[in-house]
Amino acid sequence: MHSVVGDYLEAIYSLTAEGDDAVNNVTLAGLFGVSRQAVSATVLRLARDGFIETNEHRLRLTPAGTDRAEEGLRRHCIAERFLADVLGLAWDAVHEQAKTFEQGLTPLLEDRIDARLGHPTTCPHGNPVPRPECNAATYFRDQQAVTLARAPLQSSLQVLAISEIAERSVEWLRRCASLGLLPGSPVQVHARTGSRVDLLLAGTKEPATIEAALAARIWAVRLPTEEER
C-alpha cells in the first residue's frame, strides 16, 4: 500500500502544481490506466487516512497529504540525481530505475546522498526538489513558465522541465531525449495542428513533431530578446 499511497498523492500534487485544478477519479484512472472503481477504492482509503479531501468534482491534498507527497517527490528526485549524476544512467531511464531504487532508501541514506550531490534544486528532468526554500507546488508559476502547448508561436524559449506527469511515459522521455529536448535547450513552437505540435530546436532547420499531449507537459521560459539583454 505504501507505493500506491505515494503514487496517488504525488500524482495529485504534480497535477495540481501544473495547473490541473479539477483532479478527480477520472483523471487518476486515465493516468494510472486502471478502472474508476479501483481509483475510488484507493481514494476512499486516502480520505479515511486524512491525506485527501474529496467532493463531487475535485480531490485536494490535506496538509498531511501534501507533506507525504513532497517527501516522496524529494526522495524520488534525489534518487534520480544519484542514478544520473553518479552512476551515469541515461537521462530517459532514470525515472523508472529510481522508482525501485528509492524504495530502499532510509532517511539517513537519503540525507547522505543529498549532501554528496550538493543538495540539488531540480531532478535531471528539470522538476523542482521540494525543500523549505523551494515551493514546488508553485514553481512553474514562480518561474513564469508556460507549456509548449500554449507558448506563443515563433517565440524564443528555453526548456525548463519535462514534468513529473510526462516522466511516467518512457516513450515520451525517449522522444525528448532523441530530439535533444532537455532542460536548458532552446526551442521555438513552429506550429500547432490538431493533436501535434511542431518545434524548431537548436541546430536544426526542419521542425520536429511531438504529440500535443506531451507538449502540454513540457514547461519552458521565455528567453530575453536582443533589446532586453
Side-chain angles (χ1 to χ4, degrees):
M1 185 58 188
H2 171 77
S3 61
V4 174
V5 168
D7 271 350
Y8 274 64
L9 296 180
E10 290 163 30
I12 295 169
Y13 184 97
S14 296
L15 285 164
T16 304
E18 290 194 53
D20 294 353
D21 293 327
V23 180
N24 54 32
N25 290 11
V26 176
T27 308
L28 296 179
L31 182 64
F32 291 120
V34 299
S35 69
R36 295 185 191 180
Q37 291 79 4
V39 170
S40 295
T42 302
V43 165
L44 287 173
R45 187 178 299 184
L46 294 175
R48 181 201 66 193
D49 292 342
F51 291 126
I52 63 173
E53 297 174 344
T54 67
N55 61 36
E56 186 178 352
H57 305 290
R58 183 177 180 182
L59 306 176
R60 295 184 182 182
L61 296 179
T62 63
T66 297
D67 289 345
R68 183 75 171 267
E70 290 185 340
E71 288 171 7
L73 287 169
R74 181 164 52 250
R75 184 182 306 110
H76 179 71
C77 289
I78 291 169
E80 285 186 324
R81 272 293 176 195
F82 176 77
L83 295 176
D85 298 353
V86 177
L87 299 188
L89 263 64
W91 180 87
D92 54 344
V94 293
H95 174 77
E96 282 296 314
Q97 295 300 317
K99 288 200 300 185
T100 300
F101 178 74
E102 68 194 58
Q103 297 300 320
L105 287 182
T106 64
L108 175 61
L109 284 175
E110 181 184 338
D111 288 345
R112 291 292 178 87
I113 292 173
D114 190 24
R116 179 61 63 90
L117 293 171
H119 306 290
T121 58
T122 68
C123 79
H125 309 99
N127 294 297
V129 180
R131 298 186 186 279
E133 64 274 15
C134 175
N135 187 346
T138 62
Y139 179 75
F140 294 122
R141 293 196 296 275
D142 294 342
Q143 298 296 316
Q144 298 182 329
V146 63
T147 69
L148 296 185
R150 295 186 174 184
L153 298 181
Q154 317 303 332
S155 179
S156 295
L157 306 167
Q158 185 178 65
V159 176
L160 179 67
I162 315 299
S163 82
E164 288 289 345
I165 301 303
E167 285 187 48
R168 293 172 176 269
S169 169
V170 175
E171 290 76 16
W172 277 359
L173 288 180
R174 287 175 179 166
R175 180 61 175 156
C176 290
S178 70
L179 294 175
L181 193 58
L182 310 175
S185 301
V187 62
Q188 286 187 353
V189 179
H190 178 69
R192 297 189 186 91
T193 313
S195 62
R196 66 184 222 175
V197 175
D198 294 336
L199 307 175
L200 286 174
L201 301 163
T204 63
K205 295 182 179 179
E206 296 297 324
T209 300
I210 64 172
E211 298 174 48
L214 172 56
R217 299 297 178 186
I218 299 178
W219 291 84
V221 292
R222 188 178 68 88
L223 288 174
T225 63
E226 291 186 5
E227 292 77 11
E228 293 172 331
R229 292 172 186 159

